[in-house]
Amino acid sequence: MAQRTEIILDEGWKFSKGNFTDAALQKFDDTKWQTVRIPHDWAISGPFDKEIDKQVTAITQNGETKPTEKTGRTGALPYIGEGWYRKKLALPIIKPTQKVLVQIDGAMSEPRVYLNGKLIGEWNYGYNYFYIDITKDLQSNENVLAIHLNNRAKSSRWYPGAGLYRNVHLIIKEEKSIEQWGITVTTPVVQTEFAKVNVKTKLNGSNLHLVNQVLDHQGKQVAIDTVKSFFGNEGDQNIQIREPKLWSPESPYLYTLVSKVYDGNALKDEVRTRFGIRTINFQAGKGFSLNGNVRKFKGVCLHHDLGPLGAAINVAALRRQLTILKDMGCDAIRSSHNMPSPEQLELCDEMGFMFLAESFDEWAKAKVENGYHLYFNTDAEKDIVNLVKANKNHPSIVMWSSGNEVPDQFGAEGVKRAKWLQEIFHREDPTRPVTVGMDQVKATMQSGFGALLDIPGLNYRVHLYEDANKAFPQGFILGSETASTLSSRGVYKFPVIKAKDKQYDDFQSSSYDMEYCSWSNLPDDDFVMQDDKPWVIGEFVWTGFDYLGEPTPYDNSWPSRSSYFGISDLAGLPKDRYYLYRSRWNKSEPTLHLLPHWNWAGREGEITPVFVYTSYDSAELFLNGKSLGVRKKDKTSPQNRYRLMWMDVKYQPGILKVVALDAQGKPVAEEKIVTAGKPDRIILAADRNKIKADGRDLSFVTVFVVDKDGNPCPTENQSLKFEVKGAGKFKAVCNGDATSLESFEKPTMKLFSGKLVVLVESNKKAGKMQLNVYGKGLKSSQIEINTVH
């Protein structure tokens, strides 16, 4: 029996905000503190408050020169301040030959870790992973683990969350064992007939032998190899896999490495490592290749919050995000601007997403008063080392990023820092290239900053792509951050024109997808570069989902408190723009999407343009059976190339229908929108009707209202109430409205543009859970979710 146990320390934590002089001590009385489960975000409960993150500042990244009052920049949630977590450790008897580690996957922020009153470890960067050997400080009787966190004001440009928002692990193993994060798997040779899998394994102890076994996706052995000699404490093996199955977004095949350490005949340790066999290559004139096939990144940027759950990691919520992105045709994620969670990377391995793992939003020069620049000189190297060591075996990761829009892009010192950081990544992982998201492109062209990077990443600046490609020697450009187009789901503004930084009295942005930030552009401009320039190797759109904080262009317009950039909203509901990207990215299924909605009482006879986002090249539009003409994509403008637009439609209620045409002009698909009548009843649709009875699995239930004929009511915004009975509970609710100040955690919320999403959570007893939804004057509705072991 292998002598390794790993326990997730999730239940039975005591928590309180504030500072307590003796909270680290074993005898401290925490009985009146809140009992919480980890992962936990102490701030997401709210309330939203304008004063929490009100600042008078100029956002230099946005080109501002004069300070103005900013609100909602970090989500207007109470993350600032100190907090304590305490937990009694119920340990088995620890033998003299064993050691005990505590691993923290992320803690916001500046965690200070105590055991029985003694400081045993600390870290500064809230996004990083670290572990502590606590063996020598354990007592034979009861032990108390206490963690102090401190979130400074003005420490982030978005909502950072608060608390032990990622998992905490307790690892008990033999002293003679595999080092934590001590296994490195690479695939230096990949051919059709065979692959060479190189395994480097660092051991604690001497006179040991190591057996590495490779299992296929079904758990069958495909190779086995024994190492008896070591270089120092490291074993180095090359294992041959016959007829390997390669990892890719289209076929994310995973193998499992089972590493067993023996002392004589006694099994001392066993570690399982999932890996994929794949090759990556970045080449001038050719671009990016995966497994020898040239392709372009169809990627999105993601902040780490999960909307109404805040920063607290939840696998069901992460999986739902990735499922939505997969249907859009997305194949890559950039963890902007922070280190990703282990769970997110594991899901990207499984589901097939290439990953750009980012590290920092600041280097030595500040963007915000209490940002990472405070720690850069002392911590940057150890932060990168832990990022790489913890995550290097994920096949999804195809490149690292050492920074985003750092002010250090100017001058010789910045060039030196970029080189220093890149060399640390190369030392720790020679198999992957390094990029930086650059917004000061002219400066980096002149200084040599962009030239030294493995991959020059441009944030926006589409008009400089040609110049940058000529100036940089790499022979390719990555759109490391693109578009920053603004929209509010289901909200449409007139007249329909291209506009920069457009603001309206209701603090919403138009879902015609024609509005963008002063530094950015519309999606179509990026599409042109991706399609026409072979040396542009892909893009990462800002952003896949709306996120808490950074409510541009309304960062001085309370109550705006979350972003408008998302392709999907904060609840995960697709905006119209989702279908624009899908029409281009999803090659396996056709797209046909019609906008806007068709409930415009009072606009009769007024021009109400109609857009169609489709993978088909042409379509015919009908209003109440009358043809409004055929439109065909052409290259007269970026918008005409990727959208079908009828700009002169005059509104009249009824049926708006689009018919897609094939190359011969024959109808192949249609979609229609009907003017809805009076709201009649509530409709519920769950993303999953069966979830695990593990106390943390979630079902996301979309709630919308229809008229008596079943037509959705797209302007309905009345308040609804939610009740959960049976084997689960109400967890959260979100409507995607960036201006809503309603609590995510109370079972009532207004619809926004006719929809919202309710999250229900299983308990640990299998059975049936029922969600009931009520609204004044509406027929109520219920849905049943099965929870299973």
Side-chain angles (χ1 to χ4, degrees):
M1 181 96 181
Q3 302 300 306
R4 176 183 284 253
T5 304
E6 183 165 340
I7 303 163
I8 301 288
L9 299 178
D10 54 353
E11 305 285 356
W13 287 85
K14 288 290 191 175
F15 164 74
S16 181
K17 280 194 74 174
N19 195 10
F20 301 86
T21 307
D22 300 324
L25 299 180
Q26 200 169 6
K27 64 183 181 181
F28 181 83
D29 183 6
D30 59 17
T31 53
K32 293 182 180 178
W33 284 14
Q34 184 182 357
T35 300
V36 299
R37 187 181 67 190
I38 305 301
H40 175 246
D41 180 347
W42 81 53
I44 196 62
S45 300
F48 295 103
D49 186 342
K50 176 181 178 179
E51 300 301 318
I52 285 172
D53 53 9
K54 187 171 73 175
Q55 302 174 24
V56 177
T57 186
I59 304 175
T60 55
Q61 289 77 34
N62 298 0
E64 296 178 359
T65 55
K66 294 182 179 179
T68 58
E69 182 179 282
K70 301 293 192 298
T71 55
R73 275 195 86 190
T74 53
L77 287 164
Y79 77 94
I80 297 165
E82 297 177 73
W84 279 92
Y85 291 83
R86 287 170 50 89
K87 179 172 173 58
K88 293 177 181 177
L89 297 181
L91 296 173
I93 296 172
I94 305 300
K95 301 174 186 175
T97 59
Q98 289 181 311
K99 62 166 60 180
V100 182
L101 309 178
V102 169
Q103 178 179 309
I104 297 174
D105 292 341
M108 197 62 68
S109 189
E110 301 178 0
R112 302 295 182 260
V113 184
Y114 299 84
L115 186 65
N116 304 323
K118 178 183 176 182
L119 179 66
I120 56 168
E122 57 187 286
W123 208 263
N124 288 318
Y125 194 31
Y127 290 108
N128 211 340
Y129 339 75
F130 64 100
Y131 64 88
I132 309 160
D133 187 337
I134 67 171
T135 314
K136 66 180 186 299
D137 295 304
L138 287 169
Q139 296 177 0
S140 56
N141 51 2
E142 186 177 87
N143 291 274
V144 175
L145 185 67
I147 300 174
H148 174 255
L149 300 173
N150 179 35
N151 282 334
R152 306 180 190 218
K154 301 179 183 178
S155 58
S156 180
R157 297 191 301 120
W158 56 86
Y159 176 68
L164 292 177
Y165 72 103
R166 291 182 182 165
N167 278 311
V168 178
H169 310 252
L170 187 74
I171 299 155
I172 304 169
K173 61 174 187 167
E174 291 289 310
E175 284 184 353
K176 291 185 175 182
S177 59
I178 296 167
E179 271 191 19
Q180 193 69 356
W181 306 334
I183 297 171
T184 303
V185 184
T186 57
T187 55
V189 178
V190 179
Q191 298 178 3
T192 304
E193 298 80 18
F194 76 95
K196 183 171 79 173
V197 177
N198 180 260
V199 182
K200 292 181 172 65
T201 312
K202 292 185 178 179
L203 302 184
N204 296 311
S206 55
N207 300 318
L208 302 172
H209 70 271
L210 170 68
V211 177
N212 270 319
Q213 178 188 31
V214 178
L215 309 179
D216 67 11
H217 196 60
Q218 297 176 314
K220 296 177 182 176
Q221 179 179 302
V222 294
I224 191 166
D225 189 54
T226 301
V227 175
K228 292 181 180 175
S229 60
F230 296 85
F231 302 96
N233 71 331
E234 185 174 77
D236 193 335
Q237 296 165 279
N238 287 310
I239 302 173
Q240 184 172 285
I241 306 294
R242 304 295 302 175
E243 298 180 349
K245 293 182 173 62
L246 304 190
W247 185 95
S248 70
E250 294 72 32
S251 181
Y253 194 93
L254 294 173
Y255 291 87
T256 300
L257 176 75
V258 183
S259 304
K260 295 181 179 180
V261 177
Y262 293 88
D263 186 2
N265 293 323
L267 179 61
K268 289 294 181 180
D269 198 10
E270 180 178 324
V271 174
R272 290 180 171 245
T273 306
R274 290 199 312 180
F275 70 97
I277 297 175
R278 53 109 177 106
T279 63
I280 57 172
N281 190 37
F282 296 82
Q283 188 177 343
K286 198 171 182 181
F288 169 66
S289 299
L290 178 72
N291 301 327
N293 300 312
V294 176
R295 62 188 295 158
K296 299 197 178 194
F297 295 102
K298 300 182 290 188
V300 299
C301 300
L302 291 181
H303 270 321
H304 72 305
D305 80 67
L306 294 169
L309 298 174
I313 280 298
N314 180 279
V315 172
L318 288 167
R319 188 183 294 278
R320 173 177 178 254
Q321 275 195 342
L322 295 177
T323 300
I324 292 166
L325 292 173
K326 198 79 174 175
D327 178 69
M328 188 174 71
C330 173
D331 65 9
I333 308 292
R334 174 186 179 219
S335 64
S336 39
H337 307 290
N338 50 265
M339 299 179 178
S341 68
E343 291 81 5
Q344 185 182 37
L345 290 171
E346 287 164 8
L347 285 170
C348 286
D349 290 344
E350 289 174 20
M351 298 176 69
F353 288 88
M354 297 177 288
F355 207 93
L356 195 173
E358 196 148 86
S359 47
F360 309 123
D361 191 47
E362 282 185 4
W363 291 353
K365 292 186 177 180
K367 292 183 187 178
V368 290
E369 188 176 309
N370 290 313
Y372 188 76
H373 68 276
L374 298 175
Y375 318 120
F376 179 80
N377 289 328
T378 55
D379 290 17
E381 181 169 5
K382 71 175 186 176
D383 278 330
I384 289 173
V385 168
N386 276 22
L387 167 66
V388 176
K389 282 187 174 179
N391 298 311
K392 59 188 178 295
N393 295 322
H394 290 286
S396 54
I397 298 178
V398 295
M399 62 181 120
W400 306 105
S401 167
S402 61
N404 170 70
E405 296 183 1
V406 292
D408 316 63
Q409 288 167 88
F410 297 95
E413 282 301 312
V415 176
K416 290 176 185 175
R417 288 179 192 127
K419 187 171 187 291
W420 175 64
L421 293 170
Q422 183 164 276
E423 287 175 350
I424 296 170
F425 275 109
H426 288 171
R427 182 192 74 205
E428 297 300 318
D429 176 16
T431 71
R432 294 180 179 93
V434 180
T435 188
V436 171
M438 299 181 291
D439 63 333
Q440 303 301 323
V441 178
K442 289 183 178 179
T444 63
M445 287 162 59
Q446 294 166 0
S447 68
F449 186 110
L452 73 86
L453 299 173
D454 297 329
I455 299 174
L458 268 60
N459 285 8
Y460 316 106
R461 314 300 190 264
V462 173
H463 62 287
L464 294 176
Y465 271 34
E466 295 273 7
D467 291 343
N469 189 50
K470 290 174 186 174
F472 297 149
Q474 295 89 340
F476 52 80
I477 294 281
L478 172 67
S480 46
E481 195 167 310
T482 63
S484 273
T485 303
L486 303 161
S487 63
S488 302
R489 177 185 52 78
V491 175
Y492 305 92
K493 303 293 188 179
F494 306 97
V496 178
I497 54 173
K498 279 179 69 172
K500 290 182 181 180
D501 297 329
K502 182 71 175 174
Q503 297 186 28
Y504 301 94
D505 291 343
D506 62 357
F507 305 149
Q508 304 293 348
S509 295
S510 177
S511 200
Y512 274 106
D513 303 319
M514 296 289 280
E515 297 170 7
Y516 55 102
C517 297
S518 58
W519 67 85
S520 62
N521 51 269
L522 298 180
D524 322 68
D525 300 333
D526 291 301
F527 295 166
V528 170
M529 301 303 292
Q530 301 297 326
D531 286 347
D532 293 357
K533 309 296 182 183
W535 43 267
V536 179
I537 65 171
E539 66 170 319
F540 289 86
V541 181
W542 193 263
T543 52
F545 292 82
D546 279 335
Y547 54 91
L548 292 160
E550 208 172 24
T552 310
Y554 296 110
D555 46 19
N556 57 358
S557 304
W558 183 255
S560 294
R561 47 73 178 149
S562 63
S563 81
Y564 298 79
F565 296 118
I567 294 171
S568 292
D569 71 14
L570 197 69
L573 295 170
K575 302 179 186 178
D576 292 290
R577 197 162 6 119
Y578 176 93
Y579 300 96
L580 179 59
Y581 283 97
R582 190 184 193 275
S583 69
R584 197 170 158 274
W585 282 0
N586 187 329
K587 301 300 184 184
S588 60
E589 297 172 310
T591 298
L592 183 61
H593 178 74
L594 185 61
L595 67 126
H597 65 69
W598 214 240
N599 270 57
W600 296 106
R603 283 191 63 81
E604 289 79 6
E606 294 188 45
I607 289 179
T608 307
V610 174
F611 287 8
V612 172
Y613 298 156
T614 181
S615 50
Y616 299 102
D617 281 335
S618 63
E620 186 172 7
L621 186 69
F622 298 86
L623 178 55
N624 294 328
K626 180 184 176 183
S627 175
L628 301 183
V630 174
R631 296 287 184 273
K632 184 175 177 60
K633 293 175 185 174
D634 61 49
K635 293 189 177 183
T636 55
S637 75
Q639 278 66 53
N640 286 329
R641 185 170 173 179
Y642 299 103
R643 316 181 193 205
L644 300 177
M645 301 183 292
W646 288 259
M647 298 301 295
D648 55 356
V649 177
K650 292 182 178 178
Y651 174 71
Q652 54 182 271
I655 300 173
L656 185 70
K657 183 174 78 169
V658 65
V659 177
L661 308 173
D662 66 11
Q664 287 72 45
K666 294 180 180 178
V668 286
E670 68 175 55
E671 186 193 4
K672 67 179 181 180
I673 300 175
V674 179
T675 305
K678 182 181 175 184
D680 179 68
R681 64 186 186 275
I682 297 165
I683 301 293
L684 308 180
D687 71 328
R688 293 187 300 149
N689 290 94
K690 183 187 291 185
I691 62 176
K692 293 179 183 175
D694 60 2
R696 61 177 68 249
D697 203 2
L698 300 172
S699 180
F700 290 76
V701 181
T702 300
V703 180
F704 56 102
V705 173
V706 297
D707 66 12
K708 63 181 177 56
D709 297 318
N711 300 306
C713 299
T715 60
E716 187 61 24
N717 64 355
Q718 76 156 288
S719 188
L720 303 179
K721 293 184 178 179
F722 322 109
E723 178 187 48
V724 177
K725 296 178 179 178
K729 66 176 184 178
F730 169 84
K731 177 67 175 178
V733 59
C734 185
N735 61 11
D737 179 2
T739 68
S740 172
L741 300 182
E742 292 185 273
S743 170
F744 296 128
E745 297 188 347
K746 291 181 180 176
T748 179
M749 186 169 280
K750 287 183 178 180
L751 292 157
F752 177 65
S753 296
K755 292 182 180 179
L756 54 77
V757 176
V758 177
L759 289 66
V760 294
E761 184 178 63
S762 66
N763 56 32
K764 292 188 176 181
K765 187 176 180 181
K768 296 185 186 299
M769 171 184 6
Q770 183 173 289
L771 168 66
N772 299 293
V773 181
Y774 309 94
K776 188 175 180 180
L778 297 171
K779 297 185 181 78
S780 63
S781 186
Q782 56 276 330
I783 192 170
E784 197 168 82
I785 310 293
N786 292 311
T787 68
V788 296
H789 287 305

